[in-house]
Amino acid sequence: MNNVFQTICILAITISFSFSAMAQKEELSSAQIKKYKSGIFEVVTAKLTDNAIYKEEFPHDLIPFHIRNDKHYSLGTAFLIKDNTFVSAAHVFNIEYASLLADNYAVRDSKGNLFKIKNIEKYSNYRDLIQFSVEGDTQKYHKFLLGEGYEEGDVVYAAGNALGEGVIFRKGSLTSFTFEPINGQWKDIRYSAAASPGNSGGPLLNLAGEVVGIVTKKSSSENLNYALPISEFSKFSSKEAEFYTTKMAEVEATRQLRYSWKFNTALPKPILQLRSLAQKSFYQRFITARHDFESKYQQDIFPNHSNVDKYLKNQSNSNMLSIIDINGNGEWLLFKPAETRQVKIGNNQTLYFSRNKKIMGNYQFALDKPKDTALADFISDNKTILDTFLTSMQWNRKIANTQVYVTSYGEPSYQESREDKYGRVWQMAVWDDFYSDRAIMLYCLPTPSGVACDFVTATTGWLEVQKAGYGDNLHRIMLSYSAKLKEWQEFVRLPKQLIPKQFRNAKLDIKEDTISFTFDEFSGDISNIKLSGDSELYVTVEVNPKAVNELMVGNLNFTPNTNEDGTYYISKYYNQGEHASDNYKDFWTKFTTLKSPYNFEVINEGKLITKYMNLGANKKGPREVNNDSENIGYLAGCKLQSEVKLEEFNTMCDAFINGLK
């Protein structure tokens, strides 16, 4: 009985020892982790001095201690494979994208020692791998061996600088292999160990401490993360850097051209030199893609599309930046802001702002100049324009869910004037946001009352793409103009390089109760209709149907007193032919045959008194109606909604009509 008991005890001890040995074999020891940890570094870049000016003191205490006291940003992880030579994931560096932080990349050990990155020896953004050398001596640090064999079920550790708070090791298993999604050239590792932002570029280790993969990405839907097999890294050539990006597209007017970008260049190269070459190629690809798109779809985009003619002969207008585009039914329309709001500012300024999803920018706005500032000075003062917008909109960045209001980014880092195909001179300015590695861009057109602008934010890496894209679409962005007559006087006297082409020969003089004007083909000397410097003039600007690379004035609308609803206007209309709706056909028939109400008869509807005249048919105005397929008509009208005697209305309306040339 005692012998049996002894045998059972020995067997139990043996089994217990075996399980203990197996348990030890299934995880890294404390000594191993300490050893391997010395070979894993943070990828960092030096913080730049924050150039934003805040409404109140910046709340540094809301930022975690280890971040606010660190002089560097933590970007990812790298590991040492031989003296001064590291491996990481390419996306940690994103070499093809511009960055304000690109000059200061380094790796940092656990004690804060920095090693500046020198040369790139391997690079593939397609495979998501990079190998680079550093300045300094790394002999004392652990160098990782590259594993040769690994299979499903293996225990693995994901090691890296999780959340920028230091290197940690997390255990899991190698669950499966899955084809890389673009061309299936290799199979990525899927593993179950946890991964966090900052882990990218770290090693995936086996129980022998060998690298079996480079941590690349995290699954968004489940705890299965991805690593590039180290065998793919080993066999990738060090002779050339490989850049390959797919899923790029040029889109306009429901047409799409998909394309990719490929670029190779010899290695090794200094990191900044490789950046410069890659970025130049990358951004040039967008330019060539746009050229290819326009070559392929030139008859499907504005203004060449067959359906454009209907729009050109019935254009709508807006005094906020709007864009011409095609809808799902194949109709060309002017897409205007859904809602325009306003903010009253001191010194008789008003900011009008809106959002138009069809336009590139985050906001579109019109800003009046200050009362005591010359228009030419205001137009060229990009800093004041942006500062006023930021302050009025209470522009902010969130720090720990607390809004911190930005009032200025100082002077622009870059600015230029750009004339579009219509002869409109856009004032473009860019500000760098050092805190977030982003950029702010304004595209502004001068107006008689100030400026109309598109406010764009973008990552620094996409800024050049945004610039190019904006330039490609300026011809579809429309703007009409509304201002007081005294503001128009200042506007038309601006230097020619600031004035839109269609206004460069404009003239406007006000003498007592007489106004003399010339706007494109509209002109007149008008007296006795109560016009003054404070009266409003709204000028619509349209694409010329007969010369689509030109803009023209399509309508003038005078409002003598903004406290009343009276208006005097002259508009250009076209025979729309087969494109005309039944309502428009009815209008055109009555208009061209001088049928009521287009025969200058008085129509009194109580609070509304109107008169209309077809100037061409009455041998007045710029051009007579003719009988060809492109016939044009000019409609003059008077409309009064205030309490006014009929005799006075007739006198003023006749004065307006008779004053037109």
Side-chain angles (χ1 to χ4, degrees), residues 54 56-69 397-405 435:
Y54 301 95
E56 299 174 347
E57 185 178 354
F58 189 88
H60 293 281
D61 59 301
L62 296 178
I63 301 173
F65 177 85
H66 76 283
I67 296 177
R68 72 172 182 261
N69 286 280
R397 60 166 46 109
K398 283 193 175 181
I399 306 297
N401 292 321
T402 298
Q403 292 179 329
V404 183
Y405 296 103
Y435 185 89

Side-chain angles (χ1 to χ4, degrees), residues 43 74-78 87-99 105 122-132 191 195-202 214-219 225-228 242-245 271 275 437:
V43 178
S74 183
L75 304 175
T77 304
V87 172
S88 183
H91 78 263
V92 173
F93 297 82
N94 279 331
I95 281 178
E96 61 267 36
Y97 296 103
S99 171
Y105 277 121
K122 281 189 179 186
Y123 191 88
S124 171
N125 72 335
Y126 175 32
R127 290 165 171 78
D128 206 358
L129 65 86
I130 184 173
Q131 177 181 310
F132 56 88
Y191 63 93
S196 304
N199 271 113
S200 292
I214 304 169
V215 174
T216 54
K217 61 183 176 180
K218 176 180 175 61
S219 172
N225 303 310
Y226 294 82
L228 177 76
E242 172 191 60
F243 295 88
Y244 178 43
T245 300
I271 185 170
R275 271 189 173 277
D437 196 16

Side-chain angles (χ1 to χ4, degrees), residues 127-142:
R127 290 165 171 78
D128 206 358
L129 65 86
I130 184 173
Q131 177 181 310
F132 56 88
S133 62
V134 298
E135 298 174 355
D137 184 2
T138 62
Q139 291 187 51
K140 68 178 182 179
Y141 299 97
H142 176 73

Side-chain angles (χ1 to χ4, degrees), residues 175-195:
T175 60
S176 60
F177 298 91
T178 183
F179 282 110
E180 62 89 6
I182 298 176
N183 293 316
Q185 291 192 20
W186 68 88
K187 287 188 175 182
D188 284 324
I189 294 172
R190 289 207 300 178
Y191 63 93
S192 62

Side-chain angles (χ1 to χ4, degrees), residues 46 298 485 528 628:
Q298 58 182 320
L485 287 175
N528 301 318
D628 63 27

Side-chain angles (χ1 to χ4, degrees), residues 4 15 20 30 70 74 89 103 126 137 157 170 340 436 465 489 512 563 651:
V4 173
I15 293 172
S20 177
S30 174
D70 195 341
S74 183
D103 292 351
Y126 175 32
D137 184 2
Y157 278 79
R170 289 186 276 193
T340 298
S436 61
V465 177
Q489 280 187 295
E512 297 181 353
N563 295 323
T651 298

Side-chain angles (χ1 to χ4, degrees), residues 229-280:
I230 204 63
S231 58
E232 190 65 25
F233 167 81
S234 297
K235 70 182 183 183
F236 182 72
S237 172
S238 60
K239 293 181 179 180
E240 285 190 329
E242 172 191 60
F243 295 88
Y244 178 43
T245 300
T246 61
K247 297 182 181 179
M248 302 169 75
E250 185 73 25
V251 181
E252 184 183 330
T254 71
R255 294 299 188 183
Q256 182 181 91
L257 178 68
R258 293 184 55 207
Y259 64 97
S260 60
W261 169 61
K262 291 184 179 181
F263 175 66
N264 296 81
T265 185
L267 292 178
K269 276 187 172 65
I271 185 170
L272 292 182
Q273 183 182 351
L274 182 59
R275 271 189 173 277
S276 177
L277 292 171
Q279 288 167 20
K280 182 178 179 181

